[in-house]
Amino acid sequence: MLRALFGRRARGRWLHLVLGGALLMPFWMLAGVVVGPFTDVRSLVPTSIGDQLLLYAVALPLATATALVSQLRPLSVAAARALCTLPDGALADGSARSRAARLRTAAWFTLHTGVGALVSGASLALPPFAASTALVPFVPPLRTWLRVPDLPFWLLALFPFAGVAMLLALAGVSVAAGALLARAAPVLLGPTPADRLAAAERRANELAERNRLARELHDSVGHALSAVTLQAGAARRVVDRDPAFVRQALEAIEETARRTVDELDAVLGLLRDDGAARAHGAVADGPTLTELDGLLARSGMPVTRDRESQRMTVGALEGIPAPVSRAAYRIVQEGLSNALRHAGAVPVSLRIARRGAESDGPEALDALEITMENPLPGRAPVVRPGGGRGVAGMVERAAALGGVVAAGPADGVWRLYAKLPLNDRSGGTLGFDR
């Protein structure tokens, strides 16, 4: 029983009640200013119980009106979470945006300050009186001060027990009041339907961001490992016959590894909990089509581009919206990785074209089209445990921009086709004619 009255949880909830009483004090003083001209109250701490109740009754509505400010809820939640011993997730986070949430917060603040003021007042006044009562048999002047009549000694012997009973009663009332606030906190400070919806949207956005970062890691690291493996294997086979080729392969491996480490640092930096990388400007947006030449040079496989693709200068590529340019770069990168992984260092043809910009009519669509073709592998494709995410990742990238991606055998080759709108986000499905 003593643990329930004076344990850690009871002490924390008592401190929470005292905090509520302290929060009511400014409104108590304002109430004194308000009622002073109309009553006989001339002190902010009147001795009359009636005057004290009057100030209390005026202070509470003032506190309620102030609590309608939306920013008050985070402060109330922080105090309740720290001192009331509540289960995780019982209280809402963030400001009270909706009208219902502000009304519930105002009700909580009124309850907290109202009950806290009563317990705080009792905690200030009752312990000295209880101590004096307990000392009445041993300090005769206290009998005069407390106006105790002449009593037999056996009755005076009961006064210490009465003093202890007062303190135990105060502790019991404090525990009951703390339990009342602890039960009311989840109801009045808990998440509203709007808060739950906002939290679900935040989780969905966080998951989407993590999926985007996972695609970045898959595309950059997966392509780098495929290219490095191929180049290292080729260098190993001719290490004794062609030192120049080996030197060139090692340089390509070094450059590929360096760029991949930089991209990996940027992505992992954004995943850190402290957010320091974002504060320092680290981004995981990735490269764009302006860096396509370097990607093709480091791919470790012969890539041919048609004349239209070759005529797309860096200036023209810079005119493509950055999200489209980044997605196009990653799609080309993943197409090269798939070709390396499944068919080896086979020739790859690449065509990048801008379509629809000069068309008229309602169906015109300015879009970037990417077509990659490579010979079908002479052996069965390698199936990794759990399946790959290459094509699925490309589809997700294109769908986010309103575009489409299709990949599969067509006309004796493996063909990858992507269409990314530049001025429209309407997407659809696309397949190859067999």
Side-chain angles (χ1 to χ4, degrees):
M1 180 178 177
L2 290 178
R3 182 177 180 181
L5 293 177
F6 303 103
R8 181 177 180 180
R9 183 173 67 175
R11 295 196 304 270
R13 291 179 175 178
W14 177 79
L15 286 175
H16 188 248
L17 291 166
V18 172
L19 176 62
L23 291 174
L24 188 66
M25 285 306 299
F27 304 101
W28 176 285
M29 292 186 287
L30 181 59
V33 174
V34 171
V35 304
F38 310 101
T39 64
D40 294 332
V41 178
R42 294 292 180 265
S43 172
L44 295 179
V45 188
T47 57
S48 168
I49 297 296
D51 292 343
Q52 291 177 4
L53 292 177
L54 175 62
L55 294 182
Y56 179 79
V58 175
L60 281 181
L62 297 175
T64 302
T66 304
L68 292 173
V69 178
S70 62
Q71 289 78 9
L72 182 66
R73 188 172 72 171
L75 301 178
S76 299
V77 166
R81 186 173 285 158
L83 298 174
C84 286
T85 317
L86 300 172
D88 294 339
L91 305 183
D93 293 316
S95 300
R97 300 298 182 186
S98 65
R99 182 171 179 269
R102 290 195 296 271
L103 290 175
R104 290 166 60 179
T105 303
W108 164 260
F109 191 72
T110 304
L111 179 65
H112 182 203
T113 55
V115 176
L118 296 177
V119 173
S120 298
S123 299
L124 288 174
L126 191 59
F129 180 76
S132 299
T133 301
L135 293 175
V136 161
F138 313 106
V139 183
L142 288 177
R143 303 175 193 175
T144 303
W145 182 65
L146 295 177
R147 299 179 182 179
V148 178
D150 292 333
L151 297 173
F153 177 78
W154 67 270
L155 285 178
L156 291 177
L158 298 178
F159 274 70
F161 298 100
V164 173
M166 292 180 192
L167 295 178
L168 291 176
L170 175 61
V173 170
S174 298
V175 169
L180 171 66
L181 290 184
R183 287 179 176 272
V187 177
L188 299 177
L189 294 179
T192 64
D195 294 324
R196 294 188 179 94
L197 179 60
E201 291 177 348
R202 286 194 300 270
R203 287 193 294 270
N205 291 335
E206 292 172 359
L207 181 59
E209 178 66 10
R210 289 184 176 272
N211 286 339
R212 187 183 74 85
L213 296 179
R215 287 198 303 267
E216 295 292 336
L217 285 175
H218 174 275
D219 291 348
S220 61
V221 176
H223 172 77
L225 291 176
S226 297
V228 166
T229 300
L230 177 67
Q231 291 160 345
R236 177 180 56 81
R237 287 191 293 270
V238 299
V239 64
D240 296 326
R241 302 193 308 272
D242 195 346
F245 176 82
V246 174
R247 187 180 300 107
Q248 182 181 5
L250 291 176
E251 291 175 354
I253 290 174
E254 180 184 5
E255 177 63 19
T256 300
R258 182 184 296 113
R259 290 177 59 88
T260 304
V261 168
D262 291 340
E263 293 185 20
L264 184 61
D265 286 342
V267 174
L268 294 181
L270 290 179
L271 291 173
R272 293 187 306 187
D273 292 338
D274 58 8
R278 191 180 296 276
H280 286 83
V283 296
D285 290 333
T288 63
L289 284 177
T290 57
E291 304 176 56
L292 183 61
D293 290 339
L295 172 65
L296 300 180
R298 297 188 305 271
S299 65
M301 55 199 313
V303 181
T304 59
R305 302 170 65 181
D306 67 342
R307 291 183 179 180
E308 187 173 3
S309 299
Q310 295 173 359
R311 285 197 302 268
M312 294 189 71
T313 62
V314 173
L317 294 175
E318 289 177 346
I320 297 175
V324 176
S325 187
R326 286 192 292 266
Y329 180 96
R330 291 303 192 191
I331 288 173
V332 173
Q333 185 183 58
E334 184 59 30
L336 295 173
S337 297
N338 286 341
L340 275 172
R341 189 177 299 116
H342 297 297
V346 297
V348 175
S349 65
L350 171 64
R351 180 167 59 88
I352 301 177
R354 188 166 180 169
R355 293 285 184 256
E358 300 177 358
S359 302
D360 296 324
E363 301 301 326
L365 178 65
D366 189 9
L368 188 71
E369 293 186 347
I370 302 170
T371 305
M372 298 181 65
E373 295 179 349
N374 62 268
L376 291 171
R379 52 183 172 80
V382 178
V383 179
R384 290 173 292 167
R389 286 287 303 166
V391 175
M394 290 187 285
V395 171
E396 291 173 1
R397 285 184 183 277
L401 298 172
V404 291
V405 167
D411 301 327
V413 297
W414 181 272
R415 181 178 299 162
L416 167 66
Y417 176 82
K419 185 174 184 179
L420 306 176
L422 301 177
N423 59 1
D424 193 344
R425 297 184 64 84
S426 60
T429 59
L430 181 68
F432 290 126
D433 293 331
R434 293 295 190 267

